[in-house]
Amino acid sequence: AGVSLPRATNIAEPTAFASLTTGITNSFSSLDGLLAGVGSVAPGAPPILMPTDLLFEYDSEELKPEAAETLKKLGTLINKNMHARFTIEGHTDSFGSDEYNEKLSLRRAVAVKEWLEKNMDLREADIRAVGYGKSRLIAPATGSIAEQQINRRVEIVISPN
């Protein structure tokens, strides 16, 4: 009873998308940088951007096998920073209904949370999962599937424990 959306597995990144996201991605923390000690893992730090196209197929909440490397890095960061609480926020593009996208974004956030708990031995209390659907778009809702790639993302927000 959800909206049937076209599936795309290899979406080319047009030049317009690349130029759109250049300034946007600068407002996020780098997972690799935080692991290397560059930047603060403190409450109020910019969230960590994890584009869902790297974690999930289009319109799916099943984690891709190749997502494991990035998720291991995230789990390591969480384990090194037990003083902080990590919230996994799922986001979608504007295609489909509000209800469908809210549920998809939550299922994606929960999939990341459950993977971390199972594979990185993290406690459930250390991680929270929420889904925002299409309520917090970065790229305009009028864009194509490729142009809205940045909207399909998971953000990791750090707050006081």
Side-chain angles (χ1 to χ4, degrees), residues 24-25 28-29 31 47-51 138 150 153-156:
I24 294 168
T25 55
F28 290 94
S29 295
L31 180 57
I48 300 164
L49 174 65
M50 302 180 76
I138 293 175
I150 190 70
R153 67 195 187 281
V154 170
E155 292 181 21
I156 311 303

Side-chain angles (χ1 to χ4, degrees), residues 73-84:
K73 289 179 183 180
L74 178 59
T76 300
L77 182 71
I78 294 170
N79 274 322
K80 287 183 173 182
N81 294 279
M82 299 308 263
H83 65 280

Side-chain angles (χ1 to χ4, degrees), residues 52 56-61 104-112:
T52 56
F56 306 97
E57 294 293 340
Y58 184 79
D59 194 32
S60 171
E61 69 272 6
L104 176 61
S105 65
L106 178 59
R107 288 192 311 265
R108 286 177 168 176
V110 167
V112 170

Side-chain angles (χ1 to χ4, degrees), residues 30-58:
S30 160
L31 180 57
D32 289 331
L34 291 173
L35 281 170
V38 179
S40 173
V41 183
I48 300 164
L49 174 65
M50 302 180 76
T52 56
D53 290 1
L54 300 177
L55 302 175
F56 306 97
E57 294 293 340
Y58 184 79

Side-chain angles (χ1 to χ4, degrees), residues 3 7 13 19 22 45 81-82 92 100 115 122 128 130-131 142 152-153 160:
V3 175
R7 293 195 175 264
E13 201 171 271
S19 64
T22 301
N81 294 279
M82 299 308 263
T92 65
Y100 180 82
W115 190 98
L122 293 172
R128 185 174 150 238
V130 296
T142 55
R152 298 183 297 274
R153 67 195 187 281

